[in-house]
């Protein structure tokens, strides 16, 4: 139907969201292959460019993307270094709907993002094993250090499942303040970077095949 030349990189993440309230999803395209800069392009369904945002500069790449259409419209981007965490409010009536609220410079690369809009929390994982909870105004509410890179963050019933690159995972609950409450080791190891949420469950690739993870599977040795 159409093609679009994505300058300075190769598209690695493509998210769908109706950013301008016209009833048709736009494409939020992020580049994940190292280039001279990390860009996000917002494309209309007809392939035309609506907006372009620079995420980071020289030799950078986008490494994570999250979207939410609950209690407003929100987007978050991660990059491999320097300005590696961006929180964006979507303003449908603006000529450029993606409006950056704030950014952070975190250690390592931002590797996992989840927007918990009802509680106004942005959950962040990075390549040096740090898990953060930020408020929507950019304040850091809590931080936890894990033993390996955080490869994914998934909502699971009343908590969140944080998967690590070494195959382990932890289920944690957040208090209303954003502080981390309970942390419990998950019983199943696998490739959490490729895990897929399915309702209140998660599909996890393991050495034995694809495993359906539920909250009842919760804790054991990893």
């Amino acid at each position: 139907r159409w093609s679009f030349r994505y300058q300075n990189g190769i598209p690695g993440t493509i998210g769908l969201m109706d950013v301008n309230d016209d009833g048709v999803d736009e494409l939020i395209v992020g580049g994940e292959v190292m280039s001279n800069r990390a860009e996000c392009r917002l494309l209309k369904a007809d392939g035309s460019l609506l907006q372009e945002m620079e995420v980071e500069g020289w030799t950078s790449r986008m490494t994570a993307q999250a979207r939410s259409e609950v209690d407003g419209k929100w987007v978050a981007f991660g990059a491999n270094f320097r300005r590696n965490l961006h929180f964006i409010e979507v303003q449908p009536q603006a000529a450029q709907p993606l409006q950056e609220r704030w950014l952070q410079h975190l250690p390592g690369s931002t590797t996992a993002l989840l927007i918990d809009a009802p509680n106004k929390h942005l959950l962040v994982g990075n390549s040096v094993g740090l898990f953060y909870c930020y408020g929507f105004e950019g304040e850091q509410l809590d931080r936890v250090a894990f033993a390996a890179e955080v490869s994914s963050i998934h909502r699971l019933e009343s908590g969140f499942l944080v998967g690590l690159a070494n195959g382990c995972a932890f289920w944690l609950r957040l208090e209303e303040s954003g502080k981390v409450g309970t942390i419990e080791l998950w019983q199943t190891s696998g490739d959490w970077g490729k895990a897929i949420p399915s309702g209140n469950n998660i599909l996890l690739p393991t050495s034995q095949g694809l495993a359906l993870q539920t909250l009842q599977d919760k804790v054991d040795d990893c």
Side-chain angles (χ1 to χ4, degrees), residues 131-215:
F131 169 90
Y132 297 87
C133 179
Y134 280 92
F136 273 19
E137 299 304 317
E139 68 278 20
Q140 181 182 308
L141 304 176
D142 207 355
R143 183 182 71 172
V144 175
F146 291 106
E149 173 183 314
V150 177
S151 56
S152 67
I153 304 171
H154 297 289
R155 186 188 307 277
L156 186 60
E157 297 190 16
S158 59
F160 300 93
L161 195 52
V162 179
L164 306 183
N166 65 1
C168 293
F170 293 84
W171 187 77
L172 59 84
R173 278 195 176 121
L174 293 179
E175 299 173 358
E176 187 175 341
S177 65
K179 295 288 186 182
V180 175
T182 57
I183 300 179
E184 299 179 73
L185 185 63
W186 198 256
Q187 71 165 2
T188 309
S189 62
D191 188 349
W192 291 100
K194 296 179 181 176
I196 302 171
S198 176
N200 279 327
N201 305 316
I202 294 175
L203 293 170
L204 174 68
T206 71
S207 58
Q208 287 77 41
L210 196 62
L212 182 66
Q213 303 294 292
T214 70
L215 193 58

Side-chain angles (χ1 to χ4, degrees), residues 19-21 42 44 50-51 89-99:
V19 300
N20 54 8
D21 286 347
L42 183 59
K44 294 182 179 179
L50 178 59
Q51 184 179 350
E89 182 177 4
V90 179
Q91 300 179 1
Q93 307 309 316
Q96 294 193 325
L98 303 184
Q99 298 290 317

